[in-house]
Amino acid sequence: MAEEKTMENSGLGATGNFIHNYIQADLEGELNKIHTRFPPEPNGYLHIGHAKSICLNFGLAKLYGGKCNLRFDDTNPTKEDVEYVESIQEDVKWLGFDWEDRLYYASSYFQKYYEVAVKLIKEGKAFVCDLTAEEMRQYRGTLSTPGKESPYRNRSVEENLELFERMKAGEFPDGSHTLRAKIDMASPNINMRDPVLYRISHAAHHTTGTEWCIYPMYDFAHPLEDAIEGITHSICTMEFEDHRPLYDWVVREAGYTVNPPRQIEFARLGMTNTVMSKRKLRALVEDGLVDGWDDPRMPTISGLRRRGYTPESIRDFCERIGVSKANSMVDSGLLDYCIRDDLKAKVPVVMAVLDPLKLVITNYPEDQVEMMELENNPENPELGTRLAPFTRELYIEREDFMEEPVKKFFRLAPGKEVRLKGAYFVTCTDFVKDENGNVVEVHCTYDPETRSGSGFEGRKVKGTLHWVSASDNVKATARLYDYMMLDNPDDPSGEMIMNPNSLEVKENVIIEKSIAGAQKGQRYQFMRNGYYIVDTKDTTEDHLVFNRIVPLKSSFKLK
């Protein structure tokens, strides 16, 4: 069966990896079909690292003709919220994946976990412990020394059942008792040294309310969830590798011995200048350092969506970075490369001036307006053309004029001639300064013989500038985003340092009239500048707000 599969359109790369090798070997054995799951904890918004896991789990299921569940690991009521549940569903759908009718909650299995816990107590494999969290740490031992058994480890089955039932009934305060597995305090794997299976928490749960006051630990609930749902391959990140023996122990002792789920670990995503800790992202939101979880600087999927990234670009990014066991750091420039590659032939190009400088063509008739035909996208003729009004007074970018040009400056300067995109050659004859010595107006003359499309070949110019009519345009706000962090914020030895230049706001942006009526979420290329999207939150009927997705050019080189 496995030999018939191909890697085409899997979103996982054109060649196999170690996960494929495991799955193919299983399919050549007794396994008929794979079943994966994406199991987020609803305690924050998903980020680009989760996108890698989403693409991997749903992509594998699609590739091998299997299924993938969306399951919320909601076993910690103190940190979870319905807001996160809803945002996660929206993000998975937006990325292009469908869990069909397989939406599950760990909380739906609370009764089953409880029954397994009672089973373990009856078999002498679990006990109620009264040690505090600090005492438990002291008893646990170290990597080089064995742990010490709890003084409560040898309670009778009857006493453990009674105490556990009283825990469930709410008779004890938080932190006073736990249910622990009875495995091996001398195990070289600390996770196997009588781990906690249940703790007391008198907190309302977003799905079960106050029905329960004892909640299973992740390491106990997660393997049971996989086993209950018939998951064949439980794919998780490398930090769970040391937890795998406990995962297998729980599955086995719970009685799921026929085709038990197989845990496979892969390296989590690390990106330069990017926070990959949900806890740190939450802190940025709660401390008011960003404009919510969907701030366009955030690496959350909702932030990337608002910034203007496309699902296709994120799936392409996840495919390019691949899957491995070794931790590595991905250059954030690769994600920018993917969005440029996706948009370059898709979106219309318009002329927008972000830092306007007035240009007056002194020999052009004052009341004349010519409609210049421009390509909507030079790389995609199918997008057609548009008309832009050309008038005596225009705006150009301030950086396109220099009073004293440096070497190899091919734009506008006294005595220099350039082409105005889709229009005429103009020559700078003069300029005007204000009382502070700033250039506020540039004067030029134009050559009417040089209109674009006329076939003029009398001379060549090296510079072409974009422009916008000063009298017929759209005014907008543009937000220019850069990397949010200066350092590697997930380095434990480093300090999280925000980039003070991560956001620059341009309030007086002048854009050609063709953009009037642009809808929220529409993307454009601003000629010679970058790719932009109409912001979905702050844009109003009277004023457009644009988020820069990425600059047009980058120093990043695809290897």
Side-chain angles (χ1 to χ4, degrees):
M1 177 179 179
E3 295 176 353
E4 299 175 1
K5 304 299 178 184
T6 69
M7 299 300 297
E8 185 179 359
N9 299 324
S10 68
L12 299 168
T15 58
N17 56 53
F18 70 98
I19 296 179
H20 291 285
N21 295 338
Y22 286 139
I23 292 175
Q24 288 165 2
D26 291 341
L27 289 172
E28 289 168 358
E30 297 181 0
L31 188 66
N32 294 319
K33 187 171 289 187
I34 76 163
H35 201 149
T36 62
R37 82 290 172 269
F38 173 61
E41 297 176 67
N43 58 1
Y45 281 59
L46 300 182
H47 55 63
I48 185 68
H50 297 108
K52 176 180 178 180
S53 180
I54 293 169
C55 291
L56 179 57
N57 280 287
F58 280 93
L60 284 168
K62 179 181 179 181
L63 175 64
Y64 289 102
K67 297 178 180 180
C68 182
N69 297 353
L70 174 61
R71 180 215 304 144
F72 291 99
D73 264 328
D74 55 346
T75 57
N76 187 355
T78 61
K79 294 184 178 180
E80 297 162 356
D81 195 281
V82 174
E83 173 190 355
Y84 303 136
V85 171
E86 293 174 349
S87 72
I88 288 168
Q89 293 183 63
E90 181 181 4
D91 289 345
V92 174
K93 287 180 179 177
W94 179 77
L95 281 172
F97 299 104
D98 184 6
W99 56 86
E100 298 173 329
D101 60 348
R102 295 179 305 281
L103 175 63
Y104 299 110
Y105 293 85
S107 54
S108 301
Y109 312 133
F110 279 169
Q111 180 62 34
K112 183 63 177 178
Y113 307 147
Y114 175 76
E115 292 170 0
V116 172
V118 170
K119 175 180 184 292
L120 294 177
I121 293 173
K122 288 180 177 179
E123 294 174 352
K125 296 173 182 176
F127 67 98
V128 175
C129 184
D130 300 358
L131 291 179
T132 65
E134 179 57 34
E135 289 171 334
M136 214 175 294
R137 277 191 290 271
Q138 295 172 1
Y139 274 64
R140 184 173 294 148
T142 67
L143 291 173
S144 57
T145 59
K148 185 169 62 172
E149 291 185 355
S150 166
Y152 308 101
R153 194 176 196 265
N154 295 316
R155 279 173 163 157
S156 67
V157 168
E158 291 73 23
E159 184 179 6
N160 283 318
L161 287 173
E162 179 190 1
L163 287 171
F164 190 50
E165 183 59 31
R166 291 174 65 190
M167 287 169 60
K168 178 177 179 288
E171 294 186 25
F172 303 119
D174 293 3
S176 60
H177 297 75
T178 58
L179 181 70
R180 297 175 63 183
K182 191 186 291 187
I183 305 180
D184 182 6
M185 289 304 294
S187 172
N189 187 331
I190 290 181
N191 296 295
M192 299 296 283
R193 295 180 186 176
D194 293 3
V196 174
L197 305 181
Y198 265 91
R199 80 283 197 193
I200 301 171
S201 179
H202 291 273
H205 192 280
H206 70 95
T207 64
T208 60
T210 56
E211 180 182 352
W212 295 86
C213 62
I214 55 172
Y215 291 96
M217 302 300 289
Y218 180 88
D219 278 348
F220 181 59
H222 190 81
L224 291 177
E225 297 159 27
D226 287 344
I228 291 168
E229 293 176 11
I231 300 304
T232 60
H233 296 85
S234 180
I235 301 165
C236 55
T237 46
M238 285 301 298
E239 64 264 32
F240 291 102
E241 185 174 35
D242 290 340
H243 297 246
R244 195 197 313 156
L246 178 56
Y247 179 99
D248 292 340
W249 184 90
V250 170
V251 171
R252 182 174 64 252
E253 297 302 331
Y256 295 95
T257 55
V258 179
N259 289 329
R262 176 176 189 166
Q263 179 174 302
I264 305 173
E265 307 86 14
F266 69 97
R268 65 187 304 174
L269 175 61
M271 287 176 65
T272 57
N273 304 98
T274 307
V275 181
M276 286 297 197
S277 162
K278 200 186 290 184
R279 176 181 57 82
K280 292 180 179 179
L281 291 173
R282 183 200 288 263
L284 290 172
V285 173
E286 293 178 347
D287 293 344
L289 297 175
V290 293
D291 182 27
W293 286 97
D294 66 348
D295 187 305
R297 293 169 293 179
M298 292 278 274
T300 54
I301 296 175
S302 58
L304 293 169
R305 178 166 62 245
R306 186 178 172 195
R307 173 83 168 260
Y309 287 85
T310 61
E312 294 84 355
S313 67
I314 294 176
R315 294 198 303 266
D316 182 34
F317 171 76
C318 292
E319 179 176 337
R320 289 177 185 274
I321 60 177
V323 179
S324 71
K325 282 271 190 182
N327 288 321
S328 60
M329 190 62 63
V330 176
D331 191 328
S332 297
L334 176 58
L335 181 57
D336 294 347
Y337 172 89
C338 291
I339 184 63
R340 289 189 193 95
D341 190 57
D342 184 43
L343 294 182
K344 64 184 180 183
K346 280 185 178 180
V347 300
V349 179
V350 297
M351 297 189 292
V353 177
L354 276 68
D355 189 8
L357 174 63
K358 182 168 280 190
L359 183 149
V360 179
I361 306 174
T362 56
N363 64 334
Y364 193 86
E366 289 192 20
D367 297 329
Q368 181 168 304
V369 178
E370 293 184 83
M371 301 304 293
M372 302 300 184
E373 186 174 19
L374 299 167
E375 297 172 298
N376 282 331
N377 189 315
E379 296 201 32
N380 185 358
E382 292 183 4
L383 291 183
T385 61
R386 68 191 186 284
L387 297 176
F390 185 85
T391 54
R392 184 175 190 268
E393 295 188 358
L394 309 169
Y395 285 113
I396 62 171
E397 290 287 358
R398 187 168 298 277
E399 65 178 22
D400 284 344
F401 173 80
M402 289 189 72
E403 181 181 352
E404 297 179 1
V406 296
K407 189 176 182 180
K408 294 187 178 180
F409 182 78
F410 300 122
R411 285 166 278 176
L412 206 55
K416 283 206 170 186
E417 187 176 46
V418 299
R419 173 177 287 285
L420 297 180
K421 177 67 177 177
Y424 297 100
F425 288 9
V426 295
T427 302
C428 178
T429 57
D430 199 4
F431 55 89
V432 179
K433 291 185 176 182
D434 62 14
E435 63 274 13
N436 297 317
N438 299 313
V439 177
V440 294
E441 194 170 284
V442 175
H443 292 179
C444 291
T445 58
Y446 86 113
D447 182 350
E449 300 295 322
T450 60
R451 177 166 172 158
S452 293
S454 65
F456 175 81
E457 295 183 354
R459 58 188 182 277
K460 302 291 185 182
V461 290
K462 292 186 176 180
T464 299
L465 310 185
H466 64 281
W467 50 272
V468 177
S469 167
S471 57
D472 198 5
N473 57 58
V474 173
K475 293 180 174 59
T477 296
R479 298 190 289 218
L480 281 57
Y481 294 102
D482 200 349
Y483 297 127
M484 187 165 65
M485 295 293 160
L486 288 178
D487 63 344
N488 173 17
D490 284 336
D491 183 349
S493 63
E495 191 175 337
M496 203 162 60
I497 305 173
M498 287 194 72
N499 177 6
N501 300 314
S502 61
L503 171 60
E504 180 184 1
V505 180
K506 300 281 191 180
E507 294 287 7
N508 189 32
V509 175
I510 311 295
I511 310 177
E512 63 175 84
K513 194 63 175 288
S514 66
I515 211 162
Q519 300 298 304
K520 292 181 178 181
Q522 278 189 267
R523 298 177 182 85
Y524 296 88
Q525 183 195 126
F526 286 2
M527 189 179 295
R528 298 173 55 221
N529 184 282
Y531 291 99
Y532 287 75
I533 186 171
V534 182
D535 186 69
T536 54
K537 288 180 70 173
D538 297 332
T539 291
T540 66
E541 290 185 5
D542 301 322
H543 188 70
L544 292 170
V545 177
F546 287 89
N547 299 330
R548 186 175 70 182
I549 309 169
V550 283
L552 199 58
K553 296 181 180 179
S554 170
S555 59
F556 175 81
K557 301 295 183 183
L558 188 64
K559 296 179 181 179

